[in-house]
């Protein structure tokens, strides 16, 4: 989960009726932290037409890790933002080519990053 989402959930926990559901969700997820190359990749994702808010979220999908630092990248990016998903689907091949070009210049383990699956939550 993105840090911004974790912050929002933390604020919602003060509402008693949401607390049990949030606790359950937080036990099943981990907060992603940006890794090396996150900022560079975020700028490059922005070049594909994503908003200044969306590009960093999508960049976390490839250049992030969990608290234990034993996972590199997110496997899935889930959103309610239908236009974001549509743009991702339209530009996916171009984005993948750009990431592959960048990966060839990176040292391990960053040379193994992949794009996340971006899905609309209906």
């Amino acid at each position: 989960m993105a840090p911004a989402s974790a912050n929002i959930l933390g604020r919602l926990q003060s509402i008693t009726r949401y607390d049990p559901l949030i606790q359950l969700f937080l036990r099943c997820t981990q907060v992603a932290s940006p890794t090396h190359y996150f900022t560079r990749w975020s700028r490059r994702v922005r070049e594909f037409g994503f908003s200044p808010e969306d590009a960093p979220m999508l960049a976390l999908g490839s250049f992030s890790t969990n608290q234990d630092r034993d996972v590199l990248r997110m496997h899935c990016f889930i959103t309610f933002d239908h236009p974001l998903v549509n743009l991702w689907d339209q530009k996916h091949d171009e984005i993948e080519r750009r990431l592959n070009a960048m990966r060839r210049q990176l040292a391990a383990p960053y040379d193994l990053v992949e794009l996340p699956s971006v899905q609309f939550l209906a």
Side-chain angles (χ1 to χ4, degrees):
M1 158 177 32
S5 300
N7 289 337
I8 292 168
L9 286 178
R11 291 182 186 154
L12 289 174
Q13 278 185 293
S14 64
I15 302 172
T16 308
R17 65 181 174 185
Y18 294 135
D19 186 50
L21 181 60
I22 292 170
Q23 288 297 321
L24 175 65
F25 183 75
L26 291 175
R27 280 194 299 273
C28 299
T29 60
Q30 296 182 35
V31 177
S33 299
T35 62
H36 198 57
Y37 304 112
F38 163 78
T39 303
R40 181 188 304 179
W41 183 238
S42 181
R43 280 192 310 267
R44 291 180 179 176
V45 170
R46 178 88 173 91
E47 293 172 6
F48 290 99
F50 293 97
S51 74
E53 295 80 20
D54 291 341
M57 298 292 281
L58 290 165
L60 277 173
S62 297
F63 290 96
S64 66
T65 189
N66 61 348
Q67 185 176 5
D68 296 333
R69 303 192 66 77
D70 61 354
V71 174
L72 180 62
R73 81 178 188 89
M74 293 181 195
H75 298 284
C76 190
F77 181 94
I78 300 171
T79 182
F80 288 107
D81 189 337
H82 209 259
L84 180 144
V85 174
N86 287 340
L87 182 57
W88 181 266
D89 289 345
Q90 290 171 357
K91 302 285 186 171
H92 183 272
D93 291 343
E94 293 175 63
I95 297 168
E96 190 166 49
R97 279 193 294 275
R98 186 74 183 263
L99 179 62
N100 288 340
M102 183 175 159
R103 283 183 351 172
R104 285 192 287 273
Q105 301 172 20
L106 304 180
Y110 303 105
D111 61 334
L112 301 175
V113 298
E114 297 177 7
L115 292 176
S117 166
V118 176
Q119 300 175 10
F120 180 70
L121 184 62

